[in-house]
Amino acid sequence: MTKYVFVTGGVVSSLGKGITAASLGILLKKRGYKVSIIKMDPYINVDAGAISPFQHGEVFVTWDGAETDLDLGHYERFIDEAITGENSCTTGKVYSAVIQRERSGGYNGATVQVIPHITNEIQDRILRVGEDKDVVIAEIGGTVGDIEGLPFLEAIRQLAGRIGRENILYCHVTLVPYIAASGELKTKPTQHSVNELRRIGIQPDIIVCRSQYPVGIELREKIGLFCSVMPDCVFEAMDSDSIYRIPGILHKQEFDTMVLRKLGLDYSVQPDMSDWNSFLEKYDSLNGEITVALVGKYTENKDAYLSVNEALGHAGIANGVKVKIMPVEAEDLEKGDPQDILSKVDAILVPGGFGQRGVEGKIAAAKYARENKIPYLGLCLGMQVAIIEFARNVLGLSKANSLEMDEMTPHPVIHYIGGQKNICDTGGTSRLGAFPCELKKGTRSSSIYGSEMISERHRHRLEFNNQYIELFEKAGMIVAGVCPTGGQVEIMENRDHPWMLGVQFHPEFSSRPVRPHPLFVDFIAAALKNSRVKN
Ligand code: GLN
């Protein structure tokens, strides 16, 4: 029988429920359990594809092409399992499925209601993820007490009746705030949020307290007493300098042992965290620092480029160096001389992005990198702007488009896939998910990857116009990777530059702490070389 752990959150959002869920996931996986993880998001959007990164942070793309919440990125980085769109469940998905079924007569004349139809649909989706697993960890997005989260909480409450309470564990993550005036940690918000959970019929088994300071035994006893859990089922998750330490912090308190005990599973085998721990050891012995400019347009939201930040960090650790990421607002590069902002950095990265705003600034960043021989990595839009820059300033195609100008430019170097035109720049007709890419022998990319065929994830609706391949190659910008099934240009390299490379895909989504992505590792190595030359 598959066991289910539900992770809810109380008091405030952004408590680190996702990291708690992911940490439990890795601890159980490293004990030999088959684990999967699912995120339930109470918003009405069907997926995260069209939500602004300002509001929601990054959109994480799974290999099967789902546009999901950034917590799925944490799950993949921690558990190191390729998860799919099924691991993401939103109110939008649930209602779409129920309404579709109703329209096709699937409810036999019944009045379709939140209970039981919506709640059943939620349960079915959770159970489906567990079909070939030992343990499923399901994180319920939002905070207990939110109106939109209620159907999810009701669904997981009912699930105890459907599959047996003994197969379910409810884990509640709350905040234990520190009140400076009295110099105390306060448990009242935790009590209130547990009451809120109980009001809808869920008694948590385990409470994880997020706090700035250690939650001592007296406080745990108090929380235990008021919330009807044993004090040894109250855990602390103190703020940490790295999320990657959380599995170790929880394991030290025997969190994973308690989860297994409560679920009636064997806890005699300890998790083998050797690769994870050696990653942390390297993290603790970094030497020196390099600066990478991240030229984006959502830089105000620190989560907007989360996977890129993580991938850069992993690559830094692989190179033994701390990577300082300097967020640069693309539009600032349009206003003045890019030199003023970029002269201090060791490398430049232009990540993905949608729409016209900031594109000229990103083109300016690519120009600066090319002319000054600064290592440059362009991801998706970052490759496209490097191509436009090359077209304008090396090939002299003065009209080379700036993405949205398709209709004005008869033969844009970057054009919409399959003849689509100026439609909303996100949504269903994007090229999404993993596609193969064949690497050309003798290119930098083929030596970085060390293989001829790779597979990477995509999310775009513009691409390189293949009629320009010859012209670009003659001038030194060569095609290093092509999709063998569709012929799309996937990688371009500037042959006359120490390290200038653009990829149409998103390698950041597949970098792991214990398996840093080779492109990022080589990019940071080039940045390190550049910084040594400079100093
Ligand atoms: N807006 C560009 C496109 O649709 C780039 C997308 C991206 O960077 N993810 O192709």
Side-chain angles (χ1 to χ4, degrees):
M1 176 69 205
T2 308
K3 307 279 183 175
Y4 291 84
V5 177
F6 293 107
V7 181
T8 54
V11 187
V12 291
S13 58
S14 307
L15 270 179
K17 280 191 312 261
I19 302 294
T20 307
S23 298
L24 177 62
I26 183 174
L27 289 169
L28 299 186
K29 182 177 169 181
K30 298 283 188 182
R31 287 182 185 247
Y33 286 104
K34 279 189 278 163
V35 179
S36 193
I37 193 156
I38 176 169
K39 172 88 193 272
M40 325 294 288
D41 269 307
Y43 51 68
I44 294 170
N45 307 62
V46 172
D47 60 33
I51 311 182
S52 160
F54 276 130
Q55 282 194 21
H56 194 68
E58 147 186 297
V59 174
F60 184 81
V61 181
T62 58
W63 65 268
D64 66 336
E67 297 173 289
T68 70
D69 187 83
L70 54 81
D71 271 317
L72 272 84
H74 289 313
Y75 301 167
E76 280 208 9
R77 285 184 284 271
F78 277 64
I79 304 181
D80 200 9
E81 298 270 329
I83 52 182
T84 71
E86 295 238 302
N87 299 73
S88 164
C89 172
T90 63
T91 296
K93 269 191 193 167
V94 171
Y95 271 80
S96 300
V98 169
I99 291 170
Q100 230 172 50
R101 187 159 162 209
E102 187 274 333
R103 291 289 80 189
S104 55
Y107 291 105
N108 266 340
T111 308
V112 181
Q113 293 175 303
V114 174
I115 303 171
H117 302 101
I118 295 294
T119 44
N120 281 352
E121 177 68 28
I122 294 172
Q123 290 171 27
D124 293 346
R125 282 168 185 259
I126 296 170
L127 294 177
R128 219 179 295 147
V129 167
E131 266 159 22
D132 51 352
K133 299 289 187 252
D134 301 315
V135 182
V136 172
I137 301 161
E139 178 194 347
I140 317 293
T143 307
V144 168
D146 297 346
I147 290 177
E148 59 265 44
L150 278 173
F152 289 96
L153 296 174
E154 173 61 15
I156 65 170
R157 182 192 71 77
Q158 288 176 9
L159 204 60
R162 183 160 163 189
I163 63 170
R165 179 66 175 91
E166 68 283 8
N167 296 316
I168 286 183
L169 181 129
Y170 298 109
C171 168
H172 191 56
V173 183
T174 74
L175 179 73
V176 177
Y178 176 74
I179 305 297
S182 60
E184 277 178 309
L185 288 172
K186 291 294 189 186
T187 65
K188 192 68 77 189
T190 299
Q191 296 174 34
H192 280 300
S193 86
V194 169
N195 273 344
E196 194 65 30
L197 255 187
R198 283 186 184 146
R199 213 166 56 81
I200 42 184
I202 296 174
Q203 166 62 48
D205 301 294
I206 281 181
I207 295 176
V208 175
C209 304
R210 179 75 189 272
S211 85
Q212 269 174 294
Y213 296 98
V215 182
I217 183 66
E218 278 163 37
L219 282 187
R220 290 180 203 213
E221 279 172 357
K222 190 168 170 190
I223 291 169
L225 186 65
F226 280 95
C227 302
S228 311
V229 296
M230 297 300 288
D232 59 358
C233 289
V234 181
F235 296 88
E236 76 180 17
M238 255 170 55
D239 297 351
S240 166
D241 66 325
S242 165
I243 53 171
Y244 299 119
R245 291 199 208 280
I246 307 293
I249 290 172
L250 289 172
H251 177 65
K252 228 176 166 172
Q253 301 171 62
E254 302 191 351
F255 172 67
D256 44 325
T257 302
M258 184 56 84
V259 168
L260 291 170
R261 260 178 63 187
K262 291 247 156 206
L263 287 171
L265 293 172
D266 178 23
Y267 52 89
S268 58
V269 181
Q270 287 297 312
D272 173 8
M273 300 292 282
S274 41
D275 58 350
W276 194 264
N277 290 339
S278 72
F279 161 79
L280 285 173
E281 274 160 32
K282 281 191 224 150
Y283 176 84
D284 285 328
S285 50
L286 297 179
N287 212 334
E289 181 178 280
I290 55 149
T291 306
V292 177
L294 180 72
V295 183
K297 64 174 184 178
Y298 314 111
T299 50
E300 278 162 43
N301 182 328
K302 71 171 186 31
D303 285 338
Y305 302 105
L306 184 64
S307 292
V308 175
N309 294 335
E310 294 301 313
L312 285 170
H314 304 160
I317 292 163
N319 279 286
V321 65
K322 181 171 174 7
V323 176
K324 186 171 151 217
I325 299 169
M326 183 175 110
V328 173
E329 261 303 313
E331 281 172 301
D332 291 345
L333 297 176
E334 293 168 13
K335 291 175 203 146
D337 183 353
Q339 159 100 19
D340 297 342
I341 297 176
L342 296 175
S343 63
K344 300 173 221 80
V345 306
D346 303 306
I348 296 172
L349 188 149
V350 177
F354 286 87
Q356 183 60 36
R357 188 175 68 80
V359 164
E360 289 299 325
K362 293 177 185 181
I363 293 173
K367 180 167 191 278
Y368 185 83
R370 183 179 56 77
E371 290 178 344
N372 296 285
K373 307 240 179 278
I374 317 261
Y376 176 95
L377 176 59
L379 309 176
C380 202
L381 179 62
M383 166 175 124
Q384 298 170 356
V385 294
I387 288 169
I388 294 171
E389 191 280 315
F390 196 85
R392 285 184 191 170
N393 303 320
V394 179
L395 300 178
L397 302 173
S398 60
K399 288 237 178 74
N401 63 335
S402 103
L403 298 183
E404 302 289 293
M405 285 169 54
D406 279 16
E407 280 173 305
M408 272 101 75
T409 315
H411 303 286
V413 288
I414 302 294
H415 63 174
Y416 281 94
I417 297 171
Q420 304 174 39
K421 273 200 181 146
N422 281 352
I423 22 189
C424 155
D425 202 15
T426 54
T429 43
S430 298
R431 184 166 175 249
L432 284 168
F435 290 92
C437 167
E438 194 172 352
L439 302 176
K440 298 239 173 89
K441 285 207 183 80
T443 58
R444 182 184 295 280
S445 303
S446 85
S447 77
I448 291 175
Y449 278 95
S451 71
E452 274 169 34
M453 193 68 85
I454 57 165
S455 170
E456 293 279 8
R457 299 178 203 189
H458 297 69
R459 180 180 184 234
H460 64 114
R461 51 174 40 200
L462 293 160
E463 62 189 13
F464 183 66
N465 181 346
N466 285 4
Q467 78 185 61
Y468 286 102
I469 292 179
E470 222 185 297
L471 201 61
F472 272 71
E473 292 207 319
K474 267 198 199 133
M477 181 76 117
I478 57 164
V479 174
V482 170
C483 177
T485 48
Q488 293 89 347
V489 168
E490 297 280 5
I491 309 178
M492 289 203 91
E493 295 178 9
N494 189 329
R495 210 187 37 209
D496 306 316
H497 187 284
W499 210 103
M500 186 160 195
L501 204 147
V503 294
Q504 186 53 77
F505 46 79
H506 290 276
E508 68 271 25
F509 295 137
S510 43
S511 183
R512 309 274 181 266
V514 294
R515 240 164 353 95
H517 194 288
L519 265 183
F520 281 87
V521 174
D522 208 62
F523 172 60
I524 294 302
L528 194 55
K529 215 157 129 198
N530 181 35
S531 99
R532 290 199 177 127
V533 173
K534 270 198 327 202
N535 300 320

